[in-house]
Amino acid sequence: MSSKEPVLEIQGLCVDYGLGANAVQAVRDVSLTLHRGEVLGLAGESGSGKSTLAYGLTRLLPPPGVISGGKVIYHQPGGDPVDVLRLNDAGLRAFRWAETSIVFQGAMNSLNPVHRISTQLTDVLAAHQPGMSRAARLARARELLKLVGISADRLDSYPHQLSGGMRQRVMIGMALALEPQVVIMDEPTTALDVVMQRQILRQLVDLRERLGFSVLFITHDLSLLVEFSDRIAIMYGGRIVEEAPAAQLYRDSLHPYSDGLLHAFPPLRGERRELTGIPGSPPDLRSMPSGCAFHPRCPKAFDPCGSELPLLGVPVDRPDESRTVACWLHPGA
Ligand code: ATP
Ligand code: SF4
Ligand code: MG
């Protein structure tokens, strides 16, 4: 289903919170490509910059967040590439809903409590497809609920009458309302139990097969990504430190931090791994360690690690593989 055709290209994106001497760099020179029809997973501990990246690339950064460098190119089907960071307000509105849709962290609690589900779904359609009749909007809302596995008789419910899982599904339905090319999900399922998380993700992947959109799926739980994504990118201290096809990352992760993450969550299926976690805590953005930011926690740190920053590149010891890593154990070409 996924192709080698890019749909969203992030090039050297930098995002800071604050300005001048007080600025903290939350996203540092991130380059990442989402291909058409693919599920790309983004994992990293709390504070690694995952949400900031999602907010930055959709230009939804709350102040004091500022994009301090880089480009985001959106490839619309059959059209010219769009430079997202240069879109005017109207272009941005269209991009956000019709082309790229986001389900934010904690989104299941962001449904408006005083409006019925039907109103919230039809409002999205009314705002973005003004030509649609009321009856057509209601029919589409019913269809969207069905799509995410909720029976249409729930259309008249208020959010509090639905379970957490159902509210999450409604949010996904809403995100799919305008048939976007790209769906970004930022940790949409952490508040739900593991069984429910898997069900919702499975459904999303099935919908992707049917509707052909691409997914950027953000979570701290790498075991979920291993099961459901095509490729996985690992983030640490604002940088991508490894990117590889999911199966390859699971079998043979190259970066010691990816290794640590893989051993921090129980796998949902397959062989059991010993859970060890990662010693120490994520870096403080205000005083990042020199060299490789992971070196104070890394069990394999050696000479250059504390002083020289390893750049993300195709490892010279794995030249034929479609993966990149930023680690002195596997220097890049
Ligand atoms: P989580 O898994 O907890 O959601 P995350 O990977 O999404 O974490 P971000 O929320 O992107 O991480 O935060 C990245 C860094 O930016 C963190 O160190 C955080 O403290 C900092 N940060 C986030 N929002 C702000 C803000 N409004 N002002 C200042 N710093 C911020
Ligand atoms: Fe560990 Fe060095 Fe690799 Fe960083 S560069 S992950 S410190 S071995
Ligand atoms: Mg986050």
Side-chain angles (χ1 to χ4, degrees):
M1 184 77 196
S2 68
S3 70
K4 278 283 152 230
E5 197 187 325
V7 59
L8 201 58
E9 279 182 275
I10 305 165
Q11 300 171 353
L13 194 70
C14 298
V15 181
D16 300 347
Y17 287 106
L19 293 170
N22 292 325
V24 293
Q25 290 179 278
V27 167
R28 300 171 178 232
D29 193 18
V30 165
S31 296
L32 199 59
T33 300
L34 178 65
H35 298 99
R36 214 166 281 289
E38 136 180 285
V39 178
L40 172 61
L42 181 63
E45 288 168 296
S46 187
S48 56
K50 307 179 299 293
S51 297
T52 305
L53 179 63
Y55 281 117
L57 77 92
T58 46
R59 289 185 45 198
L60 284 167
L61 268 177
V66 279
I67 293 171
S68 56
K71 267 190 176 179
V72 178
I73 308 293
Y74 170 65
H75 297 267
Q76 45 186 349
D80 291 333
V82 174
D83 187 343
V84 177
L85 302 186
R86 288 171 182 267
L87 281 175
N88 61 19
D89 285 354
L92 198 54
R93 264 198 305 280
F95 165 76
R96 278 204 203 117
W97 275 98
E99 312 287 356
T100 297
S101 187
I102 313 161
V103 181
F104 282 118
Q105 215 163 354
M108 70 183 206
N109 300 320
S110 65
L111 285 167
N112 191 328
V114 300
H115 290 305
R116 295 176 195 276
I117 298 304
S118 54
T119 313
Q120 304 197 46
L121 280 168
T122 52
D123 277 0
V124 171
L125 296 165
H128 297 275
Q129 296 188 340
M132 218 175 183
S133 71
R134 199 180 127 70
R137 288 200 300 267
L138 262 179
R140 176 76 177 135
R142 206 167 279 129
E143 194 181 294
L144 285 166
L145 276 194
K146 227 171 101 196
L147 201 64
V148 293
I150 299 180
S151 99
D153 58 16
R154 292 296 195 147
L155 209 54
D156 285 331
S157 305
Y158 288 93
H160 74 267
Q161 295 171 318
L162 303 181
S163 67
M166 279 184 179
R167 290 205 297 273
Q168 188 66 63
R169 286 166 202 260
V170 170
M171 292 307 297
I172 294 175
M174 231 181 230
L176 298 178
L178 304 178
E179 300 180 0
Q181 297 292 313
V182 175
V183 178
I184 301 175
M185 302 251 164
D186 186 0
E187 203 109 48
T189 50
T190 30
L192 308 173
D193 68 63
V194 176
V195 176
M196 181 64 76
Q197 286 189 30
R198 290 192 66 207
Q199 272 179 17
I200 289 181
L201 267 165
R202 166 58 47 213
Q203 194 160 37
L204 189 71
V205 172
D206 289 348
L207 285 174
R208 181 273 309 243
E209 300 277 339
R210 276 166 55 196
L211 305 178
F213 51 82
S214 316
V215 182
L216 175 61
F217 193 88
I218 300 175
T219 176
H220 63 279
D221 186 344
L222 193 47
S223 61
L224 269 180
L225 293 185
V226 164
E227 193 171 358
F228 292 103
S229 4
D230 299 308
R231 277 186 316 129
I232 296 177
I234 307 284
M235 217 168 165
Y236 188 77
R239 293 182 188 275
I240 304 290
V241 295
E242 181 163 11
E243 191 198 329
Q248 212 171 58
L249 191 100
Y250 183 69
R251 253 196 338 265
D252 178 30
S253 58
L254 298 182
H255 199 288
Y257 178 62
S258 313
D259 220 34
L261 277 186
L262 280 169
H263 288 88
F265 294 94
L268 293 171
R269 46 170 204 226
E271 76 197 78
R272 279 174 180 273
R273 293 179 175 221
E274 194 192 340
L275 294 188
T276 46
I278 307 170
S281 19
D284 175 359
L285 294 181
R286 290 182 191 280
S287 54
M288 283 293 271
S290 56
C292 169
F294 189 55
H295 87 259
R297 305 170 73 188
C298 181
K300 296 184 174 163
F302 61 116
D303 237 5
C305 303
S307 55
E308 288 176 60
L309 176 71
L311 294 179
L312 191 67
V314 177
V316 285
D317 53 338
R318 304 282 204 290
D320 305 329
E321 297 178 4
S322 52
R323 50 160 49 186
T324 50
V325 64
C327 172
W328 288 119
L329 292 171
H330 307 276

